Amino acid sequence: MALFDVNALPAARPDDSTVAALEASNRLVRFPTGGDGGYLLHLYVDEPIPAELQRYCLADDKLTGAFRTEQGNVAFGGIESTFVGFKPNRHIRADGAIPQGEYRYTAFHTEFPDELVSQTLRVEATSSELWLSRAPVVVSLATFALAVALAVTQRFGMAGLALLVGYFAVKLLRQTRAYQALISKRDAAQLDLPSIVVELRSAAASHLPPSI
């Protein structure tokens, strides 16, 4: 994953030398992640990281350095997205804008307690929403149990039909407006749990105390 200056990107898909050149010119900051998965960035420009978030930033994993953007167009995403013509999407890359200029950055990975994550993502406000959030798993388990029972009695055709019906039942359930609304609430809540936190300080704001 990386934070980079969109206007400095090459036309062709990046290779190791391209990424190294962007890093050397302070147009890209690379964040080691140690694996695949989704990552959320919180970026603070000329303002400190909020104290309630700072407490979950790993001080032993801090990165510091310089970053420069000539027009203020920046993006956060996978290294594979660092080229002209890549279309931003919610799974790989998000684009944004900050004031143009030269910055010093301080970056952290975060680590949230499991109980805080569970509490944050527990967005069900009513018993109906609670049932709806569990329904796909319940239907899947019930379908599997029924299919096994039918197979034991050698009614294999019925077992296959049960699995097919269960599959489409879960699929239709997840497409309902109520279920999609619940997923949207959970996605919004997850925005409070960034994987990476970066503080950018421009020369004009250098008098502000850095994060520790």
Side-chain angles (χ1 to χ4, degrees), residues 111-195:
E111 186 174 278
F112 296 98
D114 291 341
E115 59 272 20
L116 176 61
V117 174
S118 298
Q119 180 181 355
T120 300
L121 299 182
R122 194 178 298 122
V123 297
E124 298 86 356
T126 65
S127 57
S128 296
E129 288 185 339
L130 182 60
W131 177 88
L132 187 61
S133 68
R134 297 174 177 175
V137 174
V138 173
V139 172
S140 297
L141 291 175
T143 300
F144 181 74
L146 177 60
V148 170
L150 290 169
V152 168
T153 59
Q154 297 188 350
R155 288 181 285 180
F156 300 111
M158 294 294 293
L161 180 61
L163 290 173
L164 188 63
V165 170
Y167 168 79
F168 282 106
V170 171
K171 185 175 182 179
L172 289 174
L173 180 62
R174 287 176 171 168
Q175 291 175 345
T176 62
R177 183 176 300 178
Y179 189 84
Q180 290 300 314
L182 189 61
I183 294 301
S184 295
K185 287 176 63 175
R186 188 171 290 120
D187 288 344
Q190 197 166 4
L191 294 178
D192 292 332
L193 302 171
S195 311

Side-chain angles (χ1 to χ4, degrees), residues 77-121:
I79 293 297
E80 68 274 16
S81 70
T82 55
F83 68 94
V84 174
F86 185 90
K87 294 182 179 180
N89 62 75
R90 66 187 302 269
H91 300 291
I92 300 178
R93 175 178 137 184
D95 289 23
I98 64 174
Q100 64 188 53
E102 298 189 2
Y103 295 88
R104 297 294 302 178
Y105 71 82
T106 305
F108 303 90
H109 285 100
T110 60
E111 186 174 278
F112 296 98
D114 291 341
E115 59 272 20
L116 176 61
V117 174
S118 298
Q119 180 181 355
T120 300
L121 299 182

